[in-house]
Amino acid sequence: MGPRAKVNPTLGKSIIRKRFEGKRRPTEKDTELHTVDLDDGPAWTKLQSITQQGDLDEFLHTAELAGTEFTAERMNVKIISTKQTANPYLLTAAEEEKTLERHRENRSRLKIPRRPEWDRTTTAAQLHRSEREAFMEWRRELARLQEDEGLLLTPFERNLEVWRQLWRVLERSHLVVQIVDARNPLLFRSEDLERYVKEIDENKRTLLLVNKADMLTGRQREAWAEYFGEHGIRHLFFSAKESNEQLQQEREQAEAEQLAQELTRHTLTDEQLDEQLDGQLGEQLGEAAREERRQEEAPQKPDFEAQVRAVELSADQLRTRVLTPAELVAVLMRESPETAAQGRVVIGLVGYPNVGKSSTINAVVGSKRVNVGAMPGKTKHFQTIHLTDSVVLCDCPGLVFPTFATTAADMVCNGVLPIDQLREFSGPSALVARRIPKHVLEAVYGIAIPTRPLDAGGDGVPTAEELLCAYAAARGLFKSGEGNPDESRAARVLLKDYVAGKLVYCHAPPSWPCDAPFNAEHHDLAALAARSRHVVADPAAPGEFSVKHAASDRRNAQRAVRSNAPLASLDRQFFAPASGAALQHAQRRGKSHQVTQGRGYAQMLGNGIAARAL
């Protein structure tokens, strides 16, 4: 391989000198005050295509076209406004109201895909082709709604196979139940689904099941019941969480009773039977026999079907009542059309993946206490569950319907967007800080959130940075290598608690007056004291409560250190500077010590002691 060719080091410099020929470099003697000297530049840059520009480039380019000259001087800085900068990822109150008005105007255009008409003469290939064409047209219509109107839609299902499962469930079901989240029912409700059910068959009925009703107070359920009644929406309140918890308690109690019976029967071993012949043995056996007889004679709990038949609830009771699983099944059977009374009633369950649809089915099926039969199939397909001899549940896979949204932060707080894949966390965190009062956040987590005072432009509401930094510092969440609070990890924890219901916030109906607080009962300190150990009663003022900042109070550690006086005294003696006599003795011994190299001996010349080195 030959030697490497040498590159002419003056070629690049020659090109640069040629390009800037006739121009000189500015010196310190120049008195021009302009900070930017606008010039057309070389001829080869004039024909470059410019499609996008930043703010600074656009400003300079506009000034150049207008022939405007400007100067910049350093002067004393004066603050002309102390108004806090709003979060760019959130909307103001006026912007949000305007966006919601546009949502109401375009609500009729928000549809779900329809299954094309077919008959016995339609082949499978023709049906699949027509379904794909109709599905693509539906997606084009939603794209036009986003582009032309500038509206924001939630991520919706784009897989045709999932929509086919919905079509099959709607065609089979006599009663279609939409399961929604009680904290924001209108977001998870699809009005067009109800219209589509009537298009399939006029005899089919729809029902709105408001799950997670345990998060609503009686006043809030009354407000939503009034709104649903005004708009002709048939609804029911249900809590799958409470039903599953009650079911778990009953199972644990039954297991404990069974275990107690087993222990009673097998308490005495064979050796003890031979040893105890004084009459106590017969008394114990007689007591165990009497206990078994009492349990056999005790009335057994009726089965699930008997509980369903025994349910008698009036319309006024169903208005705001949180139903049990047996009551729910009884009401669903009553709401089914009369055409399905002769055979089995098929009830279709439809809803978002995160509204508790699976928990609702588990609560109803678990209360049955018998084996549940399901048609074989993959989990992504619909399943039929034979609940009783006359009721069959048809479970549709979780489906995300297209819905309007104000911001991406709102979709995160509603559980529509996954939190683990979140990149921008300031918007959702600021929304949580805006919805949950400061004293509630401090009471739930036991932290102190420092905020900007009112005279410095604050409004008393923590910003996203103030909330996340306070939580991260209290929980020890810091960035590696920097030591700064890890706001990203803190945001994920807070947002997951908000979606899970640890931080309760319920949306009010549109008819609710804006000046009335809808979540006042959730944010009351007396209610928080029942479920949070960080809210304590004030002994000086009966009936008053205060927040104890346990996680952020560093004075506890200081008091613990000061209370341990013996250890503190020992530390001071150990780390205290040496006294004069001790220091002179150490120096004298150091001078008299000498190590002889090469012999392996350490000699102490002053005392005449020699020690062989190990």
Side-chain angles (χ1 to χ4, degrees):
M1 188 174 182
R4 185 177 179 180
K6 295 183 179 180
V7 181
N8 188 2
T10 60
L11 178 59
K13 295 182 180 180
S14 301
I15 295 176
I16 295 177
R17 284 196 297 268
K18 184 64 177 178
R19 178 179 298 178
F20 297 99
E21 187 176 1
K23 298 182 180 180
R24 66 179 184 84
R25 181 177 300 178
T27 60
E28 297 179 355
K29 297 181 180 180
D30 295 338
T31 58
E32 295 182 359
L33 194 58
H34 302 86
T35 58
V36 178
D37 191 6
L38 299 178
D39 193 2
D40 290 339
W44 62 274
T45 62
K46 295 181 180 181
L47 295 179
Q48 280 187 336
S49 176
I50 300 177
T51 57
Q52 293 181 349
Q53 286 182 319
D55 295 337
L56 180 60
D57 295 336
E58 184 178 0
F59 170 75
L60 296 177
H61 187 65
T62 304
E64 179 185 357
L65 294 178
T68 304
E69 296 182 358
F70 56 92
T71 61
E73 296 181 355
R74 289 187 177 181
M75 301 179 64
N76 295 331
V77 179
K78 180 180 180 181
I79 300 177
I80 60 176
S81 176
T82 59
K83 185 177 180 180
Q84 186 175 356
T85 305
N87 194 305
Y89 300 100
L90 299 180
L91 299 179
T92 61
E95 293 174 346
E96 186 175 2
E97 181 62 28
K98 184 178 179 180
T99 303
L100 294 177
E101 181 64 27
R102 294 180 61 192
H103 290 176
R104 289 188 286 267
E105 295 175 355
N106 296 274
R107 185 181 302 171
S108 60
R109 300 177 58 184
L110 203 59
K111 298 182 178 181
I112 63 174
R114 263 66 169 172
R115 189 177 190 181
E117 297 181 0
W118 58 280
D119 52 20
R120 294 183 178 181
T121 61
T122 306
T123 62
Q126 293 175 351
L127 181 59
H128 287 178
R129 183 168 60 253
S130 58
E131 287 177 352
R132 288 194 298 269
E133 292 175 355
F135 187 70
M136 290 302 299
E137 181 60 30
W138 170 73
R139 291 191 57 176
R140 293 191 190 99
E141 180 63 26
L142 291 182
R144 285 192 290 267
L145 184 63
Q146 288 180 290
E147 294 176 0
D148 299 342
E149 301 296 335
L151 298 174
L152 179 63
L153 295 180
T154 60
F156 54 89
E157 184 59 55
R158 289 173 168 81
N159 189 1
L160 176 60
E161 185 60 32
V162 180
W163 289 103
R164 284 172 176 164
Q165 303 304 314
L166 174 66
W167 296 338
R168 294 185 177 95
V169 170
L170 298 182
E171 293 173 355
R172 289 170 175 257
S173 304
H174 301 99
L175 175 65
V176 179
V177 179
Q178 282 195 78
I179 303 179
V180 298
D181 195 326
R183 292 172 292 180
N184 196 354
L186 299 183
L187 175 70
F188 300 97
R189 172 177 174 251
S190 176
E191 299 181 16
D192 192 61
L193 177 65
E194 301 173 359
R195 291 191 291 265
Y196 183 40
V197 170
K198 290 297 183 180
E199 293 176 5
I200 297 175
D201 189 354
E202 287 290 339
N203 296 323
K204 295 180 181 294
R205 295 183 181 180
T206 58
L207 184 69
L208 194 69
L209 182 61
V210 184
N211 191 24
K212 303 180 183 180
D214 56 296
M215 297 186 185
L216 296 177
T217 62
R219 184 173 63 96
Q220 292 175 335
R221 290 198 302 270
E222 182 66 30
W224 275 112
E226 183 178 355
Y227 174 81
F228 292 145
E230 293 176 355
H231 293 79
I233 303 173
R234 296 208 300 252
H235 70 282
L236 296 174
F237 290 103
F238 184 71
S239 176
K241 179 182 178 181
E242 290 186 350
S243 300
N244 287 323
E245 289 178 353
Q246 172 124 12
L247 182 61
Q248 184 66 22
Q249 291 178 1
E250 293 178 358
R251 289 176 178 172
E252 292 177 356
Q253 184 178 359
E255 292 177 358
E257 293 177 356
Q258 184 178 2
L259 181 60
Q261 295 176 7
E262 296 293 333
L263 291 176
T264 304
R265 294 174 183 176
H266 305 287
T267 300
L268 300 178
T269 62
D270 295 336
E271 293 79 8
Q272 291 175 338
L273 288 174
D274 295 334
E275 293 176 359
Q276 297 182 3
L277 299 175
D278 54 354
Q280 296 181 358
L281 177 60
E283 184 180 353
Q284 293 178 358
L285 292 177
E287 182 65 27
R290 288 191 295 270
E291 180 66 23
E292 286 187 9
R293 194 178 304 110
R294 282 196 299 267
Q295 293 180 359
E296 292 176 357
E297 295 176 355
Q300 298 294 329
K301 187 176 181 179
D303 59 355
F304 185 72
E305 295 187 13
Q307 296 179 29
V308 172
R309 290 191 298 267
V311 172
E312 294 182 1
L313 295 175
S314 62
D316 294 337
Q317 291 176 331
L318 291 176
R319 192 167 179 268
T320 58
R321 181 184 179 91
V322 181
L323 303 179
T324 62
E327 294 173 348
L328 176 62
V329 175
V331 176
L332 292 180
M333 294 176 61
R334 187 191 309 174
E335 292 290 334
S336 301
E338 297 179 357
T339 56
Q342 300 177 356
R344 289 187 174 181
V345 178
V346 181
I347 302 174
L349 302 178
V350 182
Y352 276 67
N354 57 346
V355 295
K357 183 169 62 66
S358 300
S359 301
T360 301
I361 296 175
N362 293 334
V364 174
V365 173
S367 299
K368 186 169 179 287
R369 286 190 175 81
V370 297
N371 294 330
V372 178
M375 294 180 59
K378 299 182 180 179
T379 54
K380 64 180 180 180
H381 291 75
F382 74 92
Q383 296 180 355
T384 55
I385 303 173
H386 297 267
L387 187 61
T388 63
D389 295 337
S390 58
V391 178
V392 178
L393 300 180
C394 192
D395 180 21
C396 179
L399 194 64
V400 181
F401 299 98
T403 312
F404 289 124
T406 55
T407 58
D410 190 31
M411 290 190 285
V412 173
C413 293
N414 287 316
V416 178
L417 296 180
I419 298 176
D420 292 329
Q421 301 177 7
L422 188 64
R423 293 186 178 180
E424 201 290 309
F425 54 84
S426 64
S429 302
L431 195 59
V432 171
R434 181 187 299 179
R435 292 176 176 177
I436 308 298
K438 175 186 174 184
H439 70 274
V440 177
L441 294 170
E442 293 179 341
V444 172
Y445 296 109
I447 61 176
I449 306 176
T451 57
R452 182 180 298 181
L454 298 178
D455 54 358
D459 55 357
V461 178
T463 62
E465 182 180 2
E466 294 170 347
L467 172 60
L468 297 179
C469 288
Y471 181 84
R475 296 296 187 270
L477 304 178
F478 297 98
K479 297 179 181 179
S480 59
E482 299 179 4
N484 297 326
D486 195 344
E487 300 179 11
S488 177
R489 291 176 59 189
R492 285 180 173 84
V493 175
L494 291 175
L495 293 176
K496 288 182 179 179
D497 289 344
Y498 182 88
V499 174
K502 185 175 181 179
L503 301 174
V504 182
Y505 178 83
C506 302
H507 292 262
S511 58
W512 185 264
C514 299
D515 55 347
F518 190 69
N519 295 275
E521 299 178 16
H522 291 301
H523 302 157
D524 186 26
L525 283 178
L528 292 173
R531 61 178 187 268
S532 177
R533 59 185 177 87
H534 302 298
V535 180
V536 295
D538 192 354
E544 298 293 335
F545 297 87
S546 60
V547 179
K548 181 181 179 181
H549 305 141
S552 300
D553 195 354
R554 301 292 184 255
R555 291 174 297 179
N556 296 333
Q558 296 176 0
R559 285 193 292 267
V561 172
R562 288 197 298 266
S563 63
N564 200 345
L567 288 179
S569 177
L570 181 62
D571 291 342
R572 285 194 298 269
Q573 294 177 5
F574 182 80
F575 292 104
S579 60
L583 182 60
Q584 294 178 2
H585 181 68
Q587 291 176 352
R588 185 167 57 251
R589 288 178 59 87
K591 292 180 181 179
S592 62
H593 186 267
Q594 180 180 357
V595 178
T596 305
Q597 299 287 340
R599 296 183 181 179
Y601 288 94
Q603 299 179 356
M604 187 69 68
L605 300 181
N607 298 332
I609 301 174
R612 183 179 180 87
L614 298 179

